[in-house]
Amino acid sequence: MVADLNPAAFSEQSCPLLVVKVGSSLLVKTDGGVRREWLETLVADISARHRAGQRIIVVTSGAIALGARRLGFDKGGRASLADAQASASVGQILLSGIWAELLAARNLVAAQMLVTLDDLEERRRYLNIAATLDRLIGADAVPVINENDSVATEEIRFGDNDRLAARVAQAAGASGVVLLSDVDGLYDRAPHLPGAVLLPQVEKIDGRVRIMVAEGSSSGMGSGGMASKLDAADIATRAGIGLAITSGLKDHPLSGLANGGRATYFAPRIGGSARKTWLGGRLTVKGRICIDEGAVRALQTGSSLLPAGAIRVEGEFKRGDVIDIIAYDGIALARGLSEYDAVDAASICGRRSVELEAILGTVPRSVLVHRDQLVLL
């Protein structure tokens, strides 16, 4: 089920807390300098919304590009992981300083937060971030968040700030996310093709939408760029948060959006507990359990996953780890917390409940994944 969504969904009245993501291509010039005049107009928009009662969280890119320029590194600081980490270390100081200066000029206090993928994937750290954001918002500060690229390796990186923005919105309890980009939304085909049409609203991110992106419907960004935005929209809408993709190339981009600027809006879904939305929004899983057609039907009607419906186990995981549940046709159906480690789960695949004690040598848990620890994708 989805809620109705329109441009007013991001107004100060209907969206008390808004997350705004700013990409590197908007913030940093091709020579590595800051687009300061443009950024001043964005901060002016943030200030106006703040005065009207809306609170803003900024998710910003640009640290690596800024640091690479200061250090004189080639390829924008991305020639190697070491270069990127060193560039980020220098660039984070520059980036936070720029935001702090421009926000202070509008009598707003900036608060820097650097996070990694693991910080939002591990439940305890996720809740700690949520508590910090809540306190900062309550103190009328403007959190300015970026991925901690100075320590993040390829294995623990978000890889883009679109998905980071969606996860931050989820943790903070935001009502909306605006992804400022160098395109004005999702098109039904490559925008340069005759008859290309901007999709003003997407109510469901299904296979049809994914195919459009795979075929290059995302303008000059390339399919990877728009694919990450769809991932962000999926995370946000699953948590009941509306999301918009709009161009940030012009001055005062938030004012432009409020005044009917071109954009694609993704409608939030309704329902789901906080724990289940956290599960559905996770980007890393430890393994997979493949299931048969009968188990698919059972899960779709709200049942737990029983060993009898499992076909095979893939990956190495422990009890309590997050795993994906894959339908017999290869489609990812659900995500949940495993009641067994991978070895034991594999040993009881396809077995009836009465057989489990003899196989495991102990009194077994009755399900592989309990319905209270499972969310359909």
Side-chain angles (χ1 to χ4, degrees):
M1 184 178 184
V2 296
D4 181 51
L5 186 66
N6 54 61
F10 298 98
S11 69
E12 297 86 342
Q13 293 74 30
S14 59
C15 181
L17 178 58
L18 177 68
V19 174
V20 178
K21 180 262 180 176
V22 184
S24 293
S25 62
L26 298 177
L27 189 66
V28 182
K29 302 175 185 177
T30 55
D31 65 0
V34 176
R35 295 182 63 212
R36 187 182 180 91
E37 292 182 358
W38 173 85
L39 186 56
E40 287 175 346
T41 73
L42 173 59
V43 171
D45 283 352
I46 292 172
S47 176
R49 286 173 174 259
H50 201 275
R51 290 196 304 272
Q54 187 177 65
R55 295 299 174 259
I56 304 286
I57 295 173
V58 174
V59 174
T60 181
S61 302
I64 293 177
L66 292 175
R69 184 194 191 203
R70 180 63 61 89
L71 292 170
F73 287 170
D74 294 331
K75 298 182 180 180
R78 297 183 183 275
S80 68
L81 179 60
D83 280 4
Q85 291 174 326
S87 297
S89 299
V90 173
Q92 288 292 0
I93 296 175
L94 302 173
L95 186 64
S96 61
I98 292 164
W99 278 105
E101 176 192 347
L102 296 184
L103 287 167
R106 299 278 178 172
N107 296 315
L108 293 172
V109 176
Q112 184 188 44
M113 290 183 67
L114 300 176
V115 300
T116 64
L117 176 62
D118 278 359
D119 293 328
L120 288 165
E121 296 287 271
E122 199 277 317
R123 181 69 174 168
R124 179 180 57 82
R125 282 187 277 176
Y126 172 90
L127 294 175
N128 286 339
I129 289 172
T132 301
L133 287 171
D134 182 67
R135 187 68 187 95
L136 288 171
I137 295 300
D140 285 342
V142 178
V144 179
I145 300 174
N146 195 5
E147 184 167 12
N148 194 357
D149 289 311
S150 63
V151 299
T153 64
E154 291 301 324
E155 290 75 21
I156 60 169
R157 294 187 70 246
F158 275 93
D160 61 78
N161 276 353
D162 297 320
R163 296 183 298 175
L164 174 59
R167 288 292 266 164
V168 166
Q170 185 183 20
S175 303
V177 178
V178 174
L179 303 181
L180 296 178
S181 180
D182 53 5
V183 291
D184 51 8
L186 175 65
Y187 285 80
D188 65 347
R189 68 199 74 177
H192 66 273
L193 294 177
V197 176
L198 176 74
L199 303 180
Q201 180 161 324
V202 176
E203 292 192 349
K204 183 179 181 181
I205 302 171
D206 54 17
R208 179 184 62 87
V209 174
R210 295 282 184 185
I211 288 172
M212 283 192 296
V213 170
E215 292 178 347
S217 63
S218 55
S219 185
M221 293 170 50
S223 60
M226 187 56 73
S228 73
K229 287 171 172 49
L230 285 187
D231 289 341
D234 192 41
I235 293 168
T237 57
R238 188 181 298 280
I241 302 167
L243 181 142
I245 302 170
T246 191
S247 175
L249 293 175
K250 295 182 179 179
D251 291 347
H252 296 284
L254 295 182
S255 296
L257 179 64
N259 293 325
R262 291 166 63 81
T264 297
Y265 299 91
F266 294 83
R269 306 181 197 182
I270 297 175
S273 68
R275 186 172 184 82
K276 287 196 173 187
T277 57
W278 170 77
L279 273 174
R282 280 183 60 103
L283 300 174
T284 57
V285 295
K286 295 293 187 179
R288 312 198 312 174
I289 295 179
C290 302
I291 63 175
D292 61 25
E293 189 172 358
V296 168
R297 290 194 298 269
L299 263 59
Q300 289 174 334
T301 57
S303 297
S304 299
L305 175 61
L306 302 178
I311 300 172
R312 66 181 181 276
V313 170
E314 299 175 358
E316 298 181 3
F317 54 87
K318 299 178 181 179
R319 184 188 180 208
D321 282 345
V322 178
I323 60 171
D324 275 347
I325 300 171
I326 309 299
Y328 58 92
D329 56 4
I331 302 297
L333 176 69
R335 184 166 295 157
L337 302 181
S338 177
E339 291 288 338
Y340 287 89
D341 63 29
V343 173
D344 285 344
S347 71
I348 59 176
C349 279
R351 299 303 187 109
R352 295 176 299 164
S353 297
V354 295
E355 301 177 88
L356 302 188
E357 185 172 357
I359 295 170
L360 298 171
T362 184
V363 178
R365 289 171 289 278
S366 59
V367 299
L368 284 173
V369 181
H370 194 278
R371 64 184 181 183
D372 291 342
Q373 308 293 343
L374 179 150
V375 59
L376 294 177
L377 299 177

